C-alpha cells in the first residue's frame, strides 16, 4: 500500500518504551509532499523545552534565516512560561560573500526573540568543518535533518495572499529524511 501524500515513510530503528509517545527512528519525506511543518516534525519533542542546540552550516541567506525564525516561532509555542527563558544556540558556517547580511539577520532574530523569553545565540564556525545538520532538544533528543532547515520548495513568501507563506503545511517539500534519536530516557 502506498503512503498518502501527507504520510512519511517510517522505519523504527529501535523500540521506544511502551509509555513513550514520541517516535524514535527514521522518516522519509517524498519530493513535493505536503503536510509537513516544523510543528509536525518537532512540536511534540519541544513540549517543556528549555534548551535547543541547532547545527546547520547553511543558515546564511535571507530565506534560510527566515526558516530559522519559523523554527524559533514553533519553539516559542512550546515554551513553558514557568521557566525564565529558553536557550537556543545555533552553530553555522559563515557566509564568505563580501555583501553578506548573515550576521545582520541573525542579530535581528536575537533582538526579536529576546522579549519573548527566548535567548538566541549563534556561533560562526570559521573552520568550515561542520556538515551534519541536527536539532538537539534539552540534551534528550537528537533530531537529525539531512537537509537541515531547508526542506521546502520555492514559494512566493512576499505575496500577502500566498497560502504557503502563512501555512507551512501547504508548502511542497524537497525530498528529505529525519532521524529521531533519544539521548536520555529520564524524562
Amino acid at each position: 500500500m502506498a503512503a498518502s501524500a501527507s504520510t512519511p515513510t517510517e522505519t523504527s530503528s529501535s523500540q521506544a518504551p511502551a509509555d513513550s509517545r514520541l517516535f524514535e527512528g527514521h522518516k522519509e519525506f517524498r519530493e513535493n509532499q505536503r503536510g509537513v511543518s516544523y510543528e509536525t516534525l518537532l512540536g511534540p519533542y519541544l513540549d517543556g523545552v528549555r534548551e535547543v542546540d541547532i547545527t546547520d552550516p547553511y543558515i546564511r541567506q535571507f530565506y534560510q534565516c527566515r526558516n530559522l525564525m519559523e523554527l524559533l516561532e514553533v519553539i516559542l509555542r512550546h515554551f513553558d512560561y514557568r521557566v525564565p527563558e529558553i536557550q537556543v544556540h545555533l552553530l553555522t558556517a559563515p557566509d564568505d560573500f563580501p555583501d553578506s547580511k548573515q550576521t545582520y539577520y541573525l542579530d535581528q532574530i536575537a533582538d526579536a526573540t529576546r522579549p519573548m523569553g527566548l535567548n538566541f545565540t549563534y556561533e560562526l564556525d570559521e573552520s568550515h568543518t561542520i556538515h551534519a545538520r541536527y536539532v538537539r532538544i534539552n540534551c534528550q533528543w537528537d533530531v537529525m535533518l539531512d537537509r537541515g532547515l531547508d526542506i521546502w520548495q520555492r514559494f512566493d513568501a512576499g505575496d500577502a495572499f500566498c497560502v504557503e507563506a502563512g501555512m507551512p503545511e501547504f508548502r511542497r517539500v524537497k525530498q528529505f529524511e529525519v532521524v529521531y534519536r533519544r539521548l536520555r530516557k529520564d524524562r
Side-chain angles (χ1 to χ4, degrees), residues 20-23 38-52 71-83 85-86 135-141 143 180 182 184 186-187:
S20 175
R21 60 184 175 87
L22 297 176
F23 176 78
Y38 294 139
E39 180 64 44
T40 60
L41 288 173
L42 298 168
Y45 300 85
L46 292 168
D47 287 340
V49 66
R50 290 187 172 95
E51 181 180 338
V52 178
L71 174 57
L72 297 179
E73 291 165 359
V74 170
I75 291 170
L76 282 168
R77 281 189 208 107
H78 291 268
F79 187 7
D80 178 353
Y81 284 95
R82 294 175 290 184
V83 177
E85 67 181 9
I86 301 171
V135 176
R136 181 168 289 147
I137 303 166
N138 289 337
C139 295
Q140 293 177 324
W141 284 96
V143 182
Y180 297 88
R182 187 184 303 266
R184 290 192 336 217
D186 63 338
R187 222 180 135 177

Side-chain angles (χ1 to χ4, degrees), residues 2-187:
S4 71
S6 63
T7 305
T9 305
E10 299 180 6
T11 41
S12 181
S13 58
S14 63
Q15 283 295 79
D19 62 330
S20 175
R21 60 184 175 87
L22 297 176
F23 176 78
E24 185 173 6
H26 179 258
K27 292 184 180 184
E28 295 179 5
F29 296 85
R30 293 181 323 279
E31 188 80 12
N32 294 318
Q33 182 174 324
R34 294 184 193 257
V36 181
S37 67
Y38 294 139
E39 180 64 44
T40 60
L41 288 173
L42 298 168
Y45 300 85
L46 292 168
D47 287 340
V49 66
R50 290 187 172 95
E51 181 180 338
V52 178
D53 290 307
I54 303 165
T55 299
D56 187 333
Y58 298 103
I59 307 294
R60 301 175 185 180
Q61 298 177 20
F62 177 80
Y63 80 94
Q64 294 164 329
C65 291
R66 182 64 205 136
N67 287 344
L68 171 63
M69 186 66 187
E70 285 189 24
L71 174 57
L72 297 179
E73 291 165 359
V74 170
I75 291 170
L76 282 168
R77 281 189 208 107
H78 291 268
F79 187 7
D80 178 353
Y81 284 95
R82 294 175 290 184
V83 177
E85 67 181 9
I86 301 171
Q87 301 290 325
V88 178
H89 183 73
L90 168 69
L91 176 62
T92 191
D95 189 351
D96 292 329
F97 289 102
D99 61 346
S100 172
K101 294 185 177 181
Q102 179 185 30
T103 58
Y104 173 72
Y105 297 144
L106 294 174
D107 289 340
Q108 280 190 309
I109 289 171
D111 291 344
T113 57
R114 189 174 300 112
M116 305 300 140
L118 192 151
N119 181 28
F120 173 74
T121 58
Y122 64 91
E123 176 183 350
L124 302 178
D125 176 32
E126 300 288 341
S127 70
H128 295 278
T129 57
I130 58 172
H131 176 74
R133 298 165 183 108
Y134 63 88
V135 176
R136 181 168 289 147
I137 303 166
N138 289 337
C139 295
Q140 293 177 324
W141 284 96
D142 260 347
V143 182
M144 293 161 270
L145 304 158
D146 73 331
R147 293 195 62 89
L149 301 182
D150 187 15
I151 62 173
W152 288 292
Q153 299 284 355
R154 286 184 170 264
F155 64 95
D156 190 354
D159 180 354
F161 303 107
C162 177
V163 173
E164 292 93 340
M167 300 177 74
E169 60 275 10
F170 284 97
R171 298 175 192 164
R172 295 182 188 276
V173 298
K174 300 173 185 176
Q175 181 175 335
F176 72 100
E177 299 177 20
V178 180
V179 176
Y180 297 88
R181 184 172 62 111
R182 187 184 303 266
L183 300 174
R184 290 192 336 217
K185 297 183 185 204
D186 63 338
R187 222 180 135 177

